[in-house]
Amino acid sequence: MTQAEFVIVANRLPVDRDEDGGWRTSPGGLVTAMEQVMRSVDGAWVGWPGQPDIDVEPFEFDGTRLVPVTLTAEDIEQYYEGFSNDTIWPLYHDVIAAPRYRREWWNAYRRVNRLFATAAADVAAQGATVWVQDYQLQLVPQMLRELRPDLTIGYFHHIPFPAYGLFAQLPWRRQVLEGLLGADVIGFQRVADAGNFARAVRRQLRYETRAGSIRVPTAEGEARTAVVRAFPISIDTAQYEDLARDPDVRARAAEIRASLGNPQRILLGVDRLDYTKGIRHRMKAFGELLQDGRLSVEDVTLVQVASPSRERVETYIQLRDEIELTVGRINGDMDTMGHTAIRYLHQAFPREEMVALFLAADVMLVTALRDGMNLVAKEYVASRVDNRGVLILSEFTGAADELGSAVRVNPHDIEGVKDAIMRGLEMTPAEQSRRMRALRRRVHDHDVQAWSRDFLAALERTRDES
């Protein structure tokens, strides 16, 4: 395989195996975000093909060279399920669940990051640009710089970066910081996350930090500048708008309302089944509104989509049990023969079905306890081409920094969530329209293409200045 001028390095390849043993494009925000970028450049994508212990040769798919990284079942257990998702994920999400620190997981994380770095170094052309994605690969930038100092390296962190008091718990904190500082541009979702990273570097490594940059010592005794700033990610807005105008999708939205008994109002939550998403909090608030008599099951239904996530990790197994017990208890107490309080769907849906749900929903509930961005909030806004609907948005999401016309809530404040739900259900069409128009302007002006252009332009500037 020839070498590429532009390389994406991510935990997963942008494809999944289909039923016939071939490949199909996988769902997900990162794949969508990179789709147009990869079509416009001489690009390659390095990632795990999604199944353990399969050795796949590099191949071309939809105009992009794909470079599979083979991982064993033990690698997946220790590097991915262990260190990435049972150490880093809870630690970086404000320790909502307790992180576990195991040396064998860290050793696997280093080993697998080395595999990704080596694969990227092998496929990158002389002077190429390499863009590393997310928390599973925090050591890759430094490893790649050691292997290929000629490369321009970017790294984007899709999840939050914690305050120093939390990050300092990590036994391998210095190694992680040094790994990230191998990049020329280090991007975060929020200004606060970039600030947290810079403070951790000052406290741990004593490097000089200035507004938006860090001076990183080199092996030659000199220093180079790493750019550190926020690049809030977004969605392909036009794609959601087109689907929302599709007559079949609009007809499906009407079918959804009818299948729920045509309630006066529909509340909607759409999340991965994850303890960071605040699903239990919103269910508690909704259940109390029914118990208090402020809402009736005949008038209002909550639809909760909770797509499967990390189903072999014990914390997630327990979370599913807790949520399903809560749903059963509320429905058992409140349902009538003709109406259900909560329609709970533990499954993933295609994009067309999601847009139909967005159009059917009067109030969108995004009550994450901590979230890097939360693209569902932006997807809902982009889908509301009718300028109707209400977005209730946790202040602890990255989206809250951008979507100022949403109804903001502290998801830990159950009374506040209840009041926000009532406010959303009672909001006049005129206020809905005013708020939604402002939200839609923001999402339209700052779509995923603008995000990638912004980041790659920053990378290009570092190349020109070096």
Side-chain angles (χ1 to χ4, degrees), residues 198 208-215 225-228:
E208 178 187 351
T209 64
R210 294 181 180 175
S213 67
I214 295 173
R215 296 288 288 168
T225 299
V227 174
V228 178

Side-chain angles (χ1 to χ4, degrees), residues 1-316:
M1 178 171 284
T2 58
Q3 293 184 307
E5 297 293 336
F6 181 78
V7 181
I8 292 289
V9 189
N11 177 60
R12 284 290 305 273
L13 288 175
V15 292
D16 292 319
R17 285 282 195 190
D18 61 24
E19 295 78 8
D20 301 321
W23 300 96
R24 59 168 181 247
T25 301
S26 57
L30 178 61
V31 175
T32 302
M34 294 292 104
E35 191 173 19
Q36 291 195 3
V37 175
M38 297 304 283
R39 286 177 180 170
S40 63
V41 296
D42 172 30
W45 187 306
V46 175
W48 174 52
Q51 297 175 9
D53 299 306
I54 61 168
D55 192 2
V56 182
E57 291 296 314
F59 62 99
E60 188 163 308
F61 180 88
D62 199 19
T64 298
R65 281 165 281 175
L66 303 186
V67 182
V69 175
T70 300
L71 299 181
T72 67
E74 182 181 43
D75 289 335
I76 298 306
E77 180 183 351
Q78 295 185 348
Y79 142 80
Y80 182 70
E81 295 173 353
F83 194 81
S84 295
N85 290 318
D86 217 354
T87 301
I88 292 295
W89 181 268
L91 177 65
Y92 283 25
H93 285 84
D94 292 353
V95 195
I96 294 169
R100 294 196 288 172
Y101 306 114
R102 293 189 174 179
R103 285 170 290 180
E104 63 269 28
W105 291 355
W106 165 249
N107 291 334
Y109 186 80
R110 285 193 305 172
R111 182 178 67 250
V112 171
N113 272 237
R114 178 70 64 183
L115 293 176
F116 279 85
T118 301
D122 289 344
V123 76
Q126 183 70 24
T129 295
V130 180
W131 194 357
V132 183
Q133 304 289 332
D134 220 4
Y135 66 102
Q136 302 96 342
L137 304 174
Q138 293 175 101
L139 307 183
V140 168
Q142 181 192 41
M143 292 175 172
L144 197 52
R145 182 166 295 279
E146 291 169 353
L147 292 168
R148 293 286 305 276
D150 59 293
L151 299 176
T152 301
I153 303 168
Y155 171 89
F156 187 74
H157 196 76
H158 291 258
I159 68 173
F161 194 90
Y164 180 74
L166 295 176
F167 179 75
Q169 294 181 20
L170 185 66
W172 309 281
R173 56 201 181 185
R174 291 182 65 89
Q175 294 96 314
V176 167
L177 294 175
E178 289 167 350
L180 292 171
L181 287 170
D184 296 291
V185 176
I186 306 163
F188 296 91
Q189 299 280 25
R190 310 180 78 172
V191 172
D193 295 326
N196 286 343
F197 176 75
R199 279 186 288 275
V201 169
R202 283 199 303 273
R203 294 284 295 274
Q204 275 297 310
L205 305 180
R206 307 296 181 186
Y207 293 172
E208 178 187 351
T209 64
R210 294 181 180 175
S213 67
I214 295 173
R215 296 288 288 168
V216 183
T218 66
E220 295 77 25
E222 299 176 352
R224 61 180 183 83
T225 299
V227 174
V228 178
R229 53 167 279 215
F231 298 86
I233 198 171
S234 194
I235 61 171
D236 187 346
T237 307
Q239 188 176 69
Y240 283 89
E241 290 177 339
D242 290 346
L243 283 172
R245 293 188 174 98
D246 186 311
D248 291 338
V249 174
R250 299 181 74 83
R252 177 60 186 147
E255 288 177 6
I256 289 170
R257 292 195 75 98
S259 70
L260 295 170
N262 282 314
Q264 292 181 16
R265 294 285 186 270
I266 294 174
L267 305 172
L268 175 64
V270 175
D271 311 89
R272 280 189 312 103
L273 187 61
D274 192 288
Y275 49 78
T276 65
K277 301 299 184 181
I279 300 172
R280 288 173 292 192
H281 295 64
R282 82 178 61 130
M283 286 184 172
K284 180 176 177 60
F286 179 63
E288 288 188 8
L289 286 171
L290 293 173
Q291 290 171 349
D292 297 345
R294 296 172 70 182
L295 295 179
S296 73
V297 73
E298 290 86 358
D299 296 335
V300 181
T301 296
L302 169 62
V303 177
Q304 176 62 57
V305 177
S307 57
S309 176
R310 300 167 189 156
E311 295 186 282
R312 290 174 32 174
V313 177
E314 183 60 32
T315 310
Y316 289 79

Side-chain angles (χ1 to χ4, degrees), residues 415-430:
E415 288 298 328
V417 175
K418 289 162 65 176
D419 290 342
I421 290 173
M422 295 304 300
R423 182 180 176 187
L425 291 172
E426 296 167 354
M427 189 176 292
T428 65

Side-chain angles (χ1 to χ4, degrees), residues 343-399:
R343 183 67 60 88
Y344 174 74
L345 303 163
H346 181 245
Q347 52 197 278
F349 291 99
R351 187 169 293 141
E352 293 80 2
E353 184 75 358
M354 292 311 309
V355 173
L357 276 167
F358 292 147
L359 291 173
D362 301 285
V363 177
M364 184 79 212
L365 297 172
V366 178
T367 57
L369 307 180
R370 190 78 163 92
D371 216 334
M373 176 51 63
N374 196 288
L375 293 178
V376 167
K378 295 186 175 184
E379 291 167 1
Y380 178 73
V381 169
S383 300
R384 295 314 301 236
V385 294
D386 57 354
N387 292 314
R388 289 290 184 271
V390 179
L391 174 63
I392 295 177
L393 183 59
S394 165
E395 63 190 68
F396 302 119
T397 63

